[in-house]
Amino acid sequence: MSINGVMIILLGLPPGHSISTPGHPRWQALLGADFLIHAAAQTFAVHVLAVAVWTLGEILAYSISKTIISELAASGQRGTYIGIVGSMSGLATLIAPLLGGVLLARLGAAPMWLVVAGLGFAAAIVFLKLEGRVTQRRAEILALGD
């Protein structure tokens, strides 16, 4: 877990800034594969690699989510929407380890990581489907000067 923290501190701002451009929902589509590395990992080094890969994904996802929220919400509602997303993120931080623990105990490590990767791919599909709407909304906001 220390790899995760160090990478976020050292790399958090540059990738976030570079992806806050048009087309950012496509970046989100890359995140599902991160957890497949854990499913296939047989050594500590490969697990460390997996943590490094999903940490980059985490940095990208966090940057993308805030950008999308700020683009899609009305200017007077942005804080509310970001607050709701933050609350849901906290709830996910509570629930995910509990559900992951159940999956791990019942199915084993590799199947658990496959389920997590599947959820990541499902989220990627949603982001890809939203890309047109996000692009359209961005154009509308720029046209209105909101």
Side-chain angles (χ1 to χ4, degrees), residues 9-70:
I9 290 168
L10 295 177
L11 302 175
L13 293 176
H17 178 70
S18 68
I19 63 166
S20 63
T21 60
H24 51 68
R26 281 180 250 140
W27 284 97
Q28 191 75 21
L30 300 174
L31 302 181
D34 300 349
F35 297 105
L36 287 175
I37 299 171
H38 278 298
Q42 298 293 319
T43 66
F44 178 74
V46 176
H47 281 292
V48 169
L49 172 66
V51 170
V53 171
W54 61 251
T55 297
L56 287 174
E58 179 182 12
I59 291 167
L60 294 174
Y62 189 79
S63 301
I64 291 167
S65 67
K66 301 304 183 245
T67 301
I68 290 173
I69 292 165
S70 68

Side-chain angles (χ1 to χ4, degrees), residues 111-134:
M112 178 202 64
W113 287 116
L114 289 172
V115 168
V116 172
L119 292 170
F121 282 121
I125 290 168
V126 169
F127 272 98
L128 288 172
K129 287 187 178 269
L130 288 174
E131 183 174 21
R133 291 182 188 162
V134 171

